[in-house]
Amino acid sequence: MSNLKKVNGFRRSLMRNLTKNIGRSNMQNGEPITKSEIKKILIARPNQRLGNLILISPLVQEVTKTFPNCKIDLFVKGTLAPIVFENYENIDKIIHLPKKPFKELIKYLKVWTLIRKQNYDAVINVDQNSSSGRLAVKFSVMKYKFFGDLPENVQLPYEDYAHIAKYPVYNFRYALSQLGIEDKKEPVALIDLKLSQDEIAKGKAILNGIVDENKKSIAIFTFATGEKCYRVEWWEEFYAALKKEYEADYNIFEILPVENVSQINFQAPSFYSKDVREIGSVMANSVVFIGADSGIMHLASASKVATVGLFSGANIKKYEPYGNNSVGVDTNTNSISDYIQIINSILNK
């Protein structure tokens, strides 16, 4: 581990310990919420990673469904959020912290001042372990504050509660149930990029220029960051098995990362773009996406393609794709023949 990673890890751990007891959601013994009074909400997820931003889309949908006439501001980091939430009509403003606050200290402080001055009816922190998110809730001046936690000794009876896209929704529903709004126990919404029909049509045209338009297509993404990235040898063996099983009936093409590298040495037809929505529109025209845990894997899931997520760590329950016949696969306990069976089960549905 590099010294920079060690420093950042220590900093995050220190901030979590300092802020973990800041505030508690004012759920119990609070005044009941009248839906009509909630007109402006701030959702805090100060993170710049593509996957983490996409994963708050179920909560955005939940808030919109609960308070259909409200406007939502997002408190994030970086500049990806306007792209991810481009087609969300209830999103009003996106307030973003600079990626490197110490290099842009004045801008960083102005963002916190802006949050303090806004007139919100409620503020929601997405991740209870986010120190900046908890501080945003504490710093704001409003009636209803949700810190992203649950009261002590409360455990919600959901098998999928560990999922990072789902537990913020479950926590929000529980909080509202303490304030007079019934929890209808409905399934949590899927993560969703909300691609338009025009975007999907353009994606189809791009894909037709890369592969045989008379065949259905399987997309693969061979890259990931750090320990989540599988070795070249692993991918070459897997790719050979995919070709043997599917090449006669399907196109197999590779989505390339922004680094423009390939763990299969560019053996497959490939697509490269830095446009997040364009990448999503191309994947939306595939029948299956296969890739390791990454922002692109979440982008595929949000593009409504059946997604096979490959996981080598213990975080599968937290990040696995769901919906649209998607599945997370533990590569420590499964083999290539197992992956083929899983893909076949998706293709045959």
Side-chain angles (χ1 to χ4, degrees):
M1 182 183 293
S2 68
N3 289 333
L4 179 60
K5 287 185 177 180
K6 289 180 180 178
V7 170
N8 285 334
F10 174 77
R11 176 183 57 80
R12 286 192 290 267
S13 177
L14 177 63
M15 287 303 296
R16 280 196 293 268
N17 287 330
L18 290 174
T19 60
K20 64 182 180 180
N21 294 317
I22 289 180
R24 289 284 179 231
S25 304
N26 53 346
M27 296 180 288
Q28 297 175 334
N29 302 319
E31 296 179 22
I33 288 182
T34 302
K35 288 188 177 183
S36 60
E37 72 177 300
I38 305 298
K39 298 177 181 178
K40 189 139 185 148
I41 293 177
L42 177 70
I43 295 178
R45 184 61 166 115
N47 190 287
Q48 74 257 22
R49 292 184 179 179
L50 174 62
N52 285 334
L53 292 173
I54 292 171
L55 286 163
I56 68 173
S57 60
L59 179 61
V60 173
Q61 294 173 72
E62 181 75 18
V63 171
T64 301
K65 183 177 180 181
T66 305
F67 305 108
N69 297 318
C70 79
K71 290 295 182 182
I72 300 170
D73 287 359
L74 298 180
F75 173 47
V76 295
K77 186 181 287 187
T79 57
L80 276 177
I83 299 168
V84 171
F85 294 98
E86 180 178 310
N87 289 340
Y88 278 74
E89 295 181 357
N90 282 59
I91 299 293
D92 189 16
K93 292 194 294 291
I94 295 179
I95 304 167
H96 58 88
L97 288 169
K99 289 184 179 180
K100 298 179 179 179
F102 295 109
K103 289 187 177 181
E104 301 177 78
L105 188 57
I106 294 176
K107 183 177 180 181
Y108 180 82
L109 294 174
K110 282 184 177 179
V111 170
W112 289 100
T113 301
L114 179 62
I115 289 176
R116 183 73 175 179
K117 290 181 177 179
Q118 293 296 308
N119 185 24
Y120 295 110
D121 299 303
V123 60
I124 305 165
N125 175 40
V126 175
D127 183 3
Q128 64 179 355
N129 295 315
S130 168
S131 54
S132 296
R134 295 186 73 87
L135 285 170
V137 177
K138 184 67 175 178
F139 197 60
S140 60
V141 180
M142 55 201 70
K143 185 175 182 179
Y144 297 105
K145 296 185 176 187
F146 305 107
F147 285 87
D149 54 5
L150 290 171
E152 294 182 7
N153 302 320
V154 171
Q155 291 185 334
L156 300 183
Y158 301 105
E159 292 183 358
D160 56 356
Y161 181 80
H163 200 286
I164 196 169
K166 296 184 178 183
Y167 73 73
V169 174
Y170 290 137
N171 287 357
F172 180 61
R173 288 177 178 176
Y174 177 83
L176 293 181
S177 73
Q178 305 304 296
L179 297 170
I181 295 180
E182 179 187 2
D183 180 355
K184 296 182 179 180
K185 312 291 185 183
E186 296 175 346
V188 174
L190 304 182
I191 64 173
D192 195 352
L193 194 61
K194 288 191 180 291
L195 290 168
S196 68
Q197 290 303 310
D198 184 54
E199 287 177 310
I200 294 173
K202 288 179 180 178
K204 182 175 179 60
I206 292 171
L207 186 56
N208 288 346
I210 299 171
V211 296
D212 183 352
E213 63 181 89
N214 296 311
K215 291 182 181 180
K216 294 179 179 180
S217 296
I218 296 172
I220 62 174
F221 182 72
T222 67
F223 190 68
T225 57
E227 297 177 352
K228 295 185 290 185
C229 189
Y230 291 86
R231 295 178 294 107
V232 168
E233 295 81 6
W234 189 96
W235 267 111
E236 287 184 339
E237 184 182 2
F238 187 25
Y239 178 60
L242 290 174
K243 285 194 354 179
K244 181 179 179 180
E245 184 76 18
Y246 302 113
E247 194 172 42
D249 301 310
Y250 294 88
N251 301 306
I252 303 173
F253 76 102
E254 183 177 11
I255 304 286
L256 297 175
V258 68
E259 294 86 354
N260 198 21
V261 295
S262 168
Q263 297 295 89
I264 57 170
N265 196 28
F266 300 97
Q267 294 179 59
S270 59
F271 168 68
Y272 179 84
S273 175
K274 293 182 180 180
D275 185 327
V276 167
R277 300 194 71 84
E278 184 176 72
I279 297 170
S281 72
V282 169
M283 293 193 293
N285 286 280
S286 309
V287 290
V288 176
F289 168 91
I290 307 163
D293 177 20
S294 66
I296 295 295
M297 182 201 75
H298 295 302
L299 182 65
S301 184
S303 302
K304 302 302 181 68
V305 59
T307 300
V308 179
L310 307 172
F311 291 81
S312 58
N315 59 352
I316 184 169
K317 292 300 182 183
K318 185 175 182 179
Y319 291 108
E320 65 182 335
Y322 67 97
N324 302 308
N325 297 317
S326 297
V327 61
V329 179
D330 185 343
T331 58
N332 295 309
T333 58
N334 290 278
S335 64
I336 287 179
S337 61
D338 296 322
Y339 312 150
I340 297 298
Q341 288 183 14
I342 291 168
I343 296 166
N344 284 338
S345 69
I346 293 172
L347 294 174
N348 292 331
K349 286 182 179 178

